[in-house]
Amino acid sequence: MIEVRNLSKAYGTIQALDDISLHVAEGEIVGLLGPNGAGKTTLIKILTGYLQPDAGSVFVDGIDVQAQRQTAQARIGYLPENAPVYPELSVQGYLQTVAALRGIPQREQRARLSSAIRATGLTERLAQPIGTLSKGYRQRVGLAQAILNQPRLLILDEPSVGLDPTQIVEMRNLIRRLSAHSTVLFSSHILSEAEALCDRAIIIMNGRVRADARLADLARSTGALLVLGRAVADAESTLKALPGVEGVDLVADGGDGNAQAAQTLRVRGNGTELCEAIYAAAAQRNWPVRELRADRQTLESVFNQLAVQND
């Protein structure tokens, strides 16, 4: 549904996107994650045809967005971070205006409006001026305009920004229902939102894709956390040599050269349970084991590791 190839974009001396490539398959719900200023919104604006890249190409449903912008946009529903609504219009009047701007044939407008209104739970608010709605309902109106054209691809930029906890849950449920008919790409810097919604997460930092993983694969990932009572010189090399170990990260090395301080190592596996082998190696070498436990990867742990590396 989305194919991005070697995409770059700079604003003066600031490199917003730096040779990004990624893809999104039809029917997926994909979270585009990263800190503020990572390049998420710039990528979305290029995907939707609102911004031209400096280099690279973007295809939506097989259509080159740069060469056939309007054709590609006809397949996309887009909710920017700030919903594009007119506060003086009623909900119904606004959606009718959007339907006309979208070029939806008159004979189809009634059915399209009815479907979008029901999907977003706006039936009781049709006559109400948008300016009098709560933030949550204004976001619903923004979503309704995004799905009027029955898009193949629904792109949402920070859809839960400014919502209270109850409204966030309602928005998640709404997006999940909409995903039955559209591929969904949404950006966020809230990790819990992505974990609750998406099949896959793409993490961007400093304009580059730093991670791309399915949440189900993260949940199945194997690893272990080993804490030793003091620094052991050959601990890393010993652990790396064990079967099933892909890598070892030194989390804490004893601190300021203090050999008596705890040494913490994160051991990454390739699908094999590692704790038994690590314990056997530690016991054989008489390491001062303080703690040994399975270490399952989460979006938060991956994000935090990348943030540390990025610093």
Side-chain angles (χ1 to χ4, degrees):
M1 182 56 64
I2 298 175
E3 187 73 33
V4 175
R5 302 172 186 167
N6 306 113
L7 198 66
S8 293
K9 178 67 179 178
Y11 302 104
T13 59
I14 299 173
Q15 192 70 41
L17 297 175
D18 188 4
D19 198 32
I20 278 184
S21 295
L22 59 88
H23 74 277
V24 175
E26 184 176 351
E28 284 190 300
I29 305 177
V30 177
L32 186 63
L33 311 179
N36 291 328
K40 304 186 300 297
T41 297
T42 296
L43 176 58
I44 283 175
K45 286 181 177 179
I46 292 173
L47 285 172
T48 51
Y50 288 96
L51 194 63
Q52 288 293 310
D54 297 332
S57 57
V58 175
F59 294 84
V60 169
D61 201 18
I63 299 167
D64 186 331
V65 174
Q66 295 173 70
Q68 298 174 277
R69 181 168 58 88
Q70 289 187 328
T71 303
Q73 287 176 333
R75 314 252 178 138
I76 298 171
Y78 176 36
L79 175 63
E81 183 173 347
N82 296 307
V85 295
Y86 295 93
E88 68 277 7
L89 293 181
S90 69
V91 172
Q92 182 170 346
Y94 170 72
L95 293 177
Q96 287 172 333
T97 300
V98 172
L101 291 171
R102 276 284 193 177
I104 297 172
Q106 190 71 35
R107 65 183 180 278
E108 297 179 20
Q109 285 189 18
R110 185 182 182 89
R112 297 279 189 94
L113 286 165
S114 178
S115 176
I117 288 164
R118 286 199 308 272
T120 51
L122 289 170
T123 305
E124 304 298 323
R125 297 287 193 275
L126 291 181
Q128 190 170 339
I130 293 173
T132 66
L133 296 174
S134 68
K135 172 69 173 177
Y137 271 101
R138 287 199 300 275
Q139 287 291 84
R140 285 173 182 248
V141 174
L143 261 181
Q145 67 80 25
I147 63 174
L148 273 176
N149 62 322
Q150 298 178 343
R152 299 261 295 149
L153 172 64
L154 184 59
I155 298 180
L156 312 173
D157 192 1
E158 303 282 358
S160 297
V161 67
L163 303 186
D164 65 35
T166 300
Q167 292 169 334
I168 288 173
V169 172
E170 291 174 351
M171 183 60 68
R172 286 175 184 169
N173 292 335
L174 179 53
I175 293 170
R176 200 173 283 115
R177 291 198 299 272
L178 294 174
S179 70
H181 306 287
S182 303
T183 301
V184 178
L185 175 72
F186 72 94
S187 78
S188 181
H189 60 273
I190 304 172
L191 300 181
S192 59
E193 184 175 33
E195 287 189 310
L197 263 177
C198 65
D199 306 313
R200 191 168 129 234
I202 298 172
I203 298 176
I204 295 180
M205 291 184 179
N206 286 345
R208 289 175 174 260
V209 174
R210 300 295 306 278
D212 184 348
R214 298 190 65 82
L215 266 63
D217 294 337
L218 282 180
R220 288 195 297 268
S221 64
T222 59
L225 193 73
L226 174 65
V227 181
L228 302 176
R230 56 177 171 77
V232 175
D234 65 343
E236 284 187 73
S237 58
T238 300
L239 294 170
K240 286 178 180 177
L242 294 177
V245 172
E246 284 192 338
V248 179
D249 301 315
L250 184 61
V251 179
D253 62 0
D256 298 325
N258 182 0
Q260 299 306 310
Q263 182 181 37
T264 304
L265 303 109
R266 178 172 283 110
V267 186
R268 291 176 277 110
N270 60 9
T272 305
E273 291 295 337
L274 300 173
C275 285
E276 186 175 344
I278 292 171
Y279 180 80
Q284 183 180 11
R285 292 162 178 79
N286 201 29
W287 289 350
V289 176
R290 182 178 294 178
E291 181 183 357
L292 174 62
R293 60 177 171 82
D295 183 42
R296 301 293 180 188
Q297 278 194 306
T298 63
L299 263 184
E300 183 176 4
S301 66
V302 171
F303 191 92
N304 289 337
Q305 288 171 35
L306 291 173
V308 169
Q309 295 169 13
N310 208 48
D311 290 340

